[in-house]
Amino acid sequence: MLNKSCSLSRLGVAALALMASLLAWAIATPVQAQTEILIGGTIAQSGSLQGIVKPFGALGQAWVDDVNSRGGIYLSKLGRKLPVRMILYDDQSEPPTALKQYERLATVDKVHLFIGPFSSFVTNAAMQASIKHKIPFFMVEANDAVLFEENNNWRATGLAPAAWEYKRVAELYKRMGGASTFAVLSRDNLHERGAAQGFADEVKRQGFTVVYKEEAPKDIKDFSSIILAMKGKNPDVVLIEALPPPWNIGFLKQARELGLNPQDIVVGHTPIPVIKGMGESAENIVSSLYMFDGDTPDHLRFAKLCAAAGFEPWQYSESGIRYRAYRRIEDALERAGSLDADEIRIAMWTTGMTLFGEETMKHDHEGYGTDHPYPTQVKGGKHVSLWPLEKGAATHQYKMGKW
Amino acid sequence: MDLAILVQLLINGILLGGVYAMAAVGLSLIFGVSGVLNLAHGEFLMLSGFFVYVVYDRLGLNPFLAVALVAPCFFVVGYLFEMGLIRPLALRKEHVRLASATLVTLGVALIVEDATSFASLGGSFEKSVDIFVPTLVLGTVFLPSLKLVIFAVVLALIAALFLFLKYTYIGLAVQAVTQNRRGAVLNGVNTFRINAIAFGIGTFMAAAAGGFEVIHSAVAPDIGLPLTLKYLSIIVMGGLGSFAGVALGGVIIGLGEALVGFYNPAWGQTVAYLLLVAILLVRPKGLLGK
């Protein structure tokens, strides 16, 4: 009995000593000073998506330098400005790699905020790290409906649903007249399927007819049968929606070879490799950018950041979305006023701001924003804006089968 | 189906088969001689396409001339590839040698894919030569000239390979190694050298196909392995070691893709593998395999 009470006392003393040491350690350890805002993400520097987004690492750094040249972002609850640091890894255009890198950003780099990768299918994987570690995630170039199916408050975006991607292109054809039948081909992948379906639905809503609609495999090389089937339907306008440039180039070269000559061809994503690969045949291809001509402060700042990153805004159609994401992140951090994850998350969800002097972005209840692209046309090897609609209708020229 | 459409689909399918056969013949030769499934075959095709683009873009050469310059260089690449990475495995037990060699080629394929992703030379690696060879139009039928050229080149290369194997000492040695490696050694054939030559010729064929790929479509770092898988299907379907079988396999898969793809593009791609399984069930050695 005596022995037992002795050992209990010793246990009690040991527990007290442990608690005291823990308390002393806690007091002695200073609260980690918040000296910078750490934003982490991935961008494809290799793999099938690199041709569309490779310089966005440099664009991100240009934004960081621009923000830091003004002293950083003001966080009211800290009472001072903090500089921004962005850590970007290569996701190799692969969802599993992206998830691994976002895990690293959460556990090793301990970032305050995630900035999303390019594409819905890569984002779909990366977002899991945000949910797991409860880190706010700003989705940049990702808007497939799959991403919005779960009630996930940790993600926010400025983008409208993928189905809106060609809303303005369809409106342009309505405004111009002269075309009535459409063929729609998409790559069988997240986002591309949704965007193409949205275009088909929108042109029908505008009173046009969709005479051909198909999805083709991601790694298809020969489009001759598809082109032949399209020719049989004799569409006025052919739209193809695919992200990787080789997919688009393969289709266009074979369409030219097999005499597919619609009045107009819309290629959703027409970055430099497509324009260069098609040469003069790219002339008058209709496409889209998250940009239009203007001289608002956003237009000027965006052009400045692109120049610092080594490209012109039209050269990478998604660069406009990146810029919008940077602006929204600035806005959300300023309104959150701290680096508390929950406050940043709420600020991202409640954002409402004017960008490029035109629009106010607000989330709907599902989490979608309102950004969707503006129509362009390739002229002289460059994208020329077809927005607003009056200007677009006046500027646009039907391709009329001229390859 | 309209007769004109059917004729066009048949032409498309046959010409597509020619495009496939061009690289598949090289893969078949390598496998026939060395027993190694060269999973880096498609990467050499992709690399060649890239170099053809560079020669065309930087030196301003005609792209067909660029193919004629670049493709022979890949004979040396293939030769050295065998000497440096496959030959060191030669003295291992046969099954270990084949498995190790195939894994080495897979490793090389992945390394080349990753390395080219980063070696963008100031832009993306996705390249395409901007050239249009006018199409021959006969009534309602379109005959893409470039694919016709490829088809003719494939036939010419297969004929040249046939003559080389039948009438030259090295060609006869290649055949001897293919038929009985030990017997060839006992007759004084340097099998190491023959293996390297087979890799050289096979890689040259892949490089020629890569040159046409960048002219006809586009090349990107990730196109290699999927193409290699398709070529493997073709050579297994045609019969391992049979060049005529490879040509036939290519045409059958091309026709299958063209006809099925007209109605359903997704199944058009799958049909290659369905045909492979169906043919192997009926003829386990492939269409013209012995």
Side-chain angles (χ1 to χ4, degrees):
Chain A
M1 192 70 183
L2 187 66
N3 282 345
K4 196 175 178 185
S5 67
C6 272
S7 62
L8 278 174
S9 315
R10 276 194 215 114
L11 201 62
V13 170
L16 276 172
L18 181 67
M19 283 169 69
S21 347
L22 281 173
L23 190 64
W25 174 79
I27 292 167
T29 308
V31 175
Q32 196 177 6
Q34 291 181 324
T35 55
E36 61 182 0
I37 299 166
L38 208 46
I39 300 172
T42 68
I43 201 75
Q45 296 297 298
S46 54
S48 63
L49 302 175
Q50 60 157 328
I52 310 174
V53 295
K54 196 157 191 168
F56 290 0
L59 185 65
Q61 191 54 49
W63 170 68
V64 167
D65 293 344
D66 187 50
V67 168
N68 290 343
S69 70
R70 292 181 235 166
I73 294 174
Y74 182 71
L75 300 180
S76 57
K77 288 170 189 166
L78 299 182
R80 64 181 192 278
K81 283 185 173 182
L82 287 188
V84 175
R85 184 155 68 92
M86 191 185 284
I87 303 172
L88 285 178
Y89 295 122
D90 178 18
D91 58 37
Q92 301 173 329
S93 313
E94 295 290 342
T97 312
L99 178 56
K100 198 169 72 183
Q101 302 288 36
Y102 277 85
E103 282 286 342
R104 178 179 169 190
L105 287 161
T107 56
V108 179
D109 300 311
K110 299 189 186 306
V111 299
H112 301 112
L113 170 68
F114 284 138
I115 185 164
F118 178 76
S119 88
S120 292
F121 69 99
V122 179
T123 300
N124 200 23
M127 204 165 62
Q128 304 313 313
S130 150
I131 298 168
K132 182 177 163 189
H133 298 284
K134 298 191 180 344
I135 296 174
F137 187 105
F138 197 90
M139 299 197 301
V140 187
E141 299 105 347
N143 58 355
D144 191 274
V146 167
L147 300 165
F148 298 86
E149 279 172 359
E150 286 180 32
N151 186 17
N152 168 18
N153 289 330
W154 287 100
R155 55 109 178 95
T157 184
L159 281 191
W164 285 31
E165 189 125 334
Y166 298 106
K167 210 171 158 57
R168 289 179 172 129
V169 172
E171 286 168 8
L172 180 69
Y173 282 109
K174 181 76 175 175
R175 171 70 66 104
M176 294 187 304
S180 59
T181 55
F182 289 75
V184 181
L185 175 70
S186 75
R187 186 165 167 263
D188 189 6
N189 199 18
L190 280 189
H191 178 82
E192 287 133 306
R193 279 194 301 263
Q197 185 60 51
F199 180 71
D201 293 342
E202 185 63 25
V203 291
K204 280 187 216 161
R205 208 177 64 79
Q206 300 278 2
F208 299 126
T209 308
V210 176
V211 291
Y212 179 91
K213 184 173 178 310
E214 257 317 335
E215 288 159 8
K218 284 193 270 192
D219 55 356
I220 189 170
K221 306 285 288 176
D222 184 76
F223 294 90
S224 57
S225 298
I226 293 171
I227 291 164
L228 197 56
M230 265 188 196
K231 278 176 77 175
K233 304 290 182 183
N234 197 25
D236 295 330
V237 178
V238 170
L239 175 133
I240 58 169
E241 162 62 23
L243 291 171
W247 208 96
N248 291 313
I249 295 170
F251 176 88
L252 291 170
K253 282 194 166 182
Q254 290 167 48
R256 178 175 67 182
E257 193 176 69
L258 291 169
L260 177 67
N261 297 319
Q263 284 184 44
D264 234 6
I265 293 184
V266 183
V267 180
H269 304 270
T270 317
I272 300 167
V274 176
I275 295 176
K276 207 168 173 192
M278 294 306 298
E280 287 181 8
S281 295
E283 196 70 3
N284 288 333
I285 282 178
V286 171
S287 189
S288 60
L289 293 179
Y290 282 81
M291 247 316 268
F292 57 95
D293 294 339
D295 55 2
T296 67
D298 279 317
H299 282 95
L300 301 177
R301 188 176 175 206
F302 175 46
K304 187 180 115 185
L305 296 186
C306 290
F311 63 90
E312 291 181 50
W314 65 268
Q315 291 180 307
Y316 291 89
S317 58
E318 273 75 10
S319 57
I321 321 181
R322 278 269 135 187
Y323 175 79
R324 288 160 194 266
Y326 302 146
R327 290 280 286 110
R328 294 205 161 98
I329 286 171
E330 279 172 29
D331 172 70
L333 286 167
E334 273 169 12
R335 284 188 300 104
S338 81
L339 292 178
D340 178 79
D342 216 37
E343 291 187 76
I344 296 173
R345 177 184 69 78
I346 291 165
M348 287 196 322
W349 267 83
T350 54
T351 184
M353 62 192 298
T354 301
L355 278 172
F356 294 102
E358 192 183 55
E359 65 199 279
T360 302
M361 196 287 284
K362 281 190 177 132
H363 281 99
D364 68 9
H365 65 283
E366 289 176 298
Y368 287 113
T370 54
D371 293 347
H372 56 296
Y374 303 88
T376 66
Q377 190 163 36
V378 177
K379 288 181 183 295
K382 288 183 168 188
H383 283 263
V384 171
S385 179
L386 298 180
W387 190 259
L389 281 178
E390 307 78 58
K391 178 193 165 191
T395 310
H396 173 271
Q397 284 179 297
Y398 278 105
K399 190 167 175 63
M400 300 306 287
K402 283 183 191 157
W403 284 104
Chain B
M1 185 191 288
D2 189 282
L3 185 63
I5 291 177
L6 181 62
V7 170
Q8 183 71 63
L9 283 172
L10 292 175
I11 289 169
N12 291 350
I14 291 168
L15 294 180
L16 178 62
V19 174
Y20 288 154
M22 187 168 209
V25 164
L27 189 61
S28 177
L29 177 70
I30 291 170
F31 181 78
V33 174
S34 69
V36 174
L37 280 177
N38 180 16
L39 297 178
H41 199 67
E43 310 306 322
F44 290 130
L45 180 154
M46 176 269 290
L47 271 182
S48 160
F50 179 66
F51 283 115
V52 166
Y53 176 84
V54 170
V55 170
Y56 153 81
D57 189 52
R58 303 283 163 94
L59 304 180
L61 279 187
N62 177 292
F64 293 102
L65 189 57
V67 177
L69 282 177
V70 168
C73 298
F74 274 80
F75 174 88
V76 181
V77 172
Y79 194 100
L80 294 176
F81 175 60
E82 196 282 338
M83 274 181 70
L85 296 174
I86 306 297
R87 193 174 298 180
L89 306 168
L91 297 178
R92 299 191 182 186
K93 284 182 184 170
E94 187 66 1
H95 67 283
V96 176
R97 179 183 76 84
L98 294 179
S100 309
T102 303
L103 285 174
V104 164
T105 66
L106 177 62
V108 169
L110 296 174
I111 290 166
V112 169
E113 183 179 329
D114 279 354
T116 48
S117 284
F118 290 104
S120 58
L121 301 179
S124 78
F125 195 92
E126 293 144 336
K127 301 295 182 197
S128 177
V129 168
D130 163 33
I131 185 170
F132 177 49
V133 185
T135 300
L136 296 175
V137 184
L138 303 173
T140 56
V141 176
F142 284 69
L143 292 166
S145 309
L146 186 58
K147 280 186 181 165
L148 281 176
V149 169
I150 295 172
F151 201 77
V153 170
V154 169
L155 293 180
L157 282 174
I158 291 176
L161 204 54
F162 176 78
L163 293 174
F164 170 76
L165 293 175
K166 199 166 171 63
Y167 294 111
T168 66
Y169 171 76
I170 294 174
L172 290 170
V174 167
Q175 287 198 68
V177 173
T178 308
Q179 287 163 13
N180 187 327
R181 175 172 290 268
R182 185 170 292 180
V185 171
L186 291 173
N187 280 285
V189 174
N190 182 345
T191 53
F192 291 141
R193 186 159 165 256
I194 295 303
N195 275 355
I197 289 172
F199 262 86
I201 296 173
T203 309
F204 160 74
M205 303 280 276
F212 284 113
E213 184 73 19
V214 76
I215 295 171
H216 180 250
S217 181
V219 294
D222 58 346
I223 66 167
L225 272 174
L227 284 176
T228 304
L229 287 179
K230 184 161 279 181
Y231 300 148
L232 277 175
S233 311
I234 289 169
I235 65 173
V236 172
M237 182 189 288
L240 293 169
S242 164
F243 298 136
V246 172
L248 185 60
V251 167
I252 287 175
I253 286 190
L255 281 171
E257 285 187 11
L259 292 168
V260 177
F262 181 77
Y263 294 102
N264 187 315
W267 280 98
Q269 295 295 293
T270 313
V271 76
Y273 303 101
L274 291 176
L275 282 170
L276 172 67
V277 172
I279 287 171
L280 289 184
L281 283 174
V282 181
R283 282 189 62 86
K285 288 188 173 179
L287 289 168
L288 301 181
K290 291 172 187 166

